[in-house]
Amino acid sequence: MSSRDNILAKIRQNKPEEVALPAVTTFASNFENTEDKFREMLSLIYTEVIVVKNLEELAQKAEELYGKVVNRATTIPALSAWADFSLNVSDPHELETVEIAIVQAEFGVAENGAVWVSDQYLPHRVLPFITQNLAFVIPRNALVDNMHEAYVRLQDTLGWGCFIAGPSKTADIEQSLVIGAHGARSMVIFLLEGE
């Protein structure tokens, strides 16, 4: 028997007994208003929240805020005429010149201002991290109170996804905060009514 086989055999003999997973405890946040808490947390992390009534108003707001910006990209079909940068690229490195990306997200979390984005709506995982400015569109009724509720919502999710909270931030030991050091310099959340 080789040394490798001997080591693996000893590992197999020393398997601990299976232990049941602990019961999952959930905590109720009891926010008076989930959207108000979401807005409050986002304001603390340098993110603006804008409510839009429909996709037409979203397009108007996108034009108002970013119409003069070059290299605008989106995953929202209703904004395809607004976008001047195609996400139909084979190499994600080609996205490095995107100035603003408006991306569909699935839901937001009130307790920390995080937004869940997945490859369901994202053609390139790098897009939210490489763009200079980032905006998410979330159905207004798709806000949950806390991460416990978020994970319940995600329990049957397959594929890639992540939570993003505010623009990129970093700070050093002298407590100098830098926004946009490693990713988007700004972030806006559009809450879309009627979705």
Side-chain angles (χ1 to χ4, degrees):
M1 181 180 272
S2 71
S3 295
R4 177 182 180 272
D5 293 335
N6 189 23
I7 291 170
L8 291 174
K10 287 182 180 182
I11 290 172
R12 285 186 198 103
Q13 288 175 355
N14 193 25
K15 267 177 99 173
E17 291 182 31
E18 277 192 33
V19 177
L21 292 174
V24 176
T25 304
T26 59
F27 299 94
S29 296
N30 299 321
F31 299 134
E32 284 184 33
N33 184 303
T34 301
E35 184 179 321
D36 287 348
K37 185 64 174 180
F38 186 63
R39 287 171 173 272
E40 174 190 348
M41 296 312 296
L42 285 167
S43 70
L44 294 173
I45 56 174
Y46 310 100
T47 301
E48 181 179 6
V49 178
I50 300 170
V51 176
V52 291
K53 293 178 185 161
N54 50 42
L55 292 171
E56 292 78 22
E57 187 176 345
L58 173 64
Q60 290 169 356
K61 219 32 156 161
E63 183 61 32
E64 177 185 314
L65 293 172
Y66 309 112
K68 294 182 179 167
V69 174
V70 178
N71 293 343
R72 301 179 305 266
T74 187
T75 63
I76 313 290
L79 296 179
S80 60
W82 167 86
D84 66 356
F85 190 102
S86 172
L87 294 176
N88 190 19
V89 297
S90 58
D91 181 2
H93 292 95
E94 295 176 48
L95 301 173
E96 68 184 352
T97 60
V98 173
E99 283 294 320
I100 174 67
I102 300 180
V103 176
Q104 178 71 46
E106 295 174 47
F107 65 91
V109 183
E111 75 175 351
N112 58 12
V115 173
W116 177 258
V117 60
S118 74
D119 55 8
Q120 178 180 351
Y121 298 110
L122 205 57
H124 300 284
R125 294 177 186 177
V126 73
L127 182 62
F129 308 104
I130 201 167
T131 183
Q132 292 298 308
N133 301 283
L134 180 60
F136 286 113
V137 178
I138 307 171
R140 192 172 187 183
N141 62 1
L143 300 176
V144 297
D145 281 347
N146 57 43
M147 294 300 288
H148 294 278
E149 291 177 23
Y151 283 114
V152 167
R153 186 173 175 146
L154 294 172
Q155 68 187 359
D156 296 323
T157 300
L158 298 175
W160 178 88
C162 71
F163 287 102
I164 297 176
S168 168
K169 298 170 278 307
T170 189
D172 62 17
I173 197 164
E174 296 175 0
Q175 299 180 354
S176 297
L177 180 64
V178 178
I179 305 294
H182 306 290
R185 296 181 304 192
S186 72
M187 190 164 130
V188 171
I189 303 291
F190 292 103
L191 292 178
L192 182 60
E193 290 185 13
E195 284 293 305

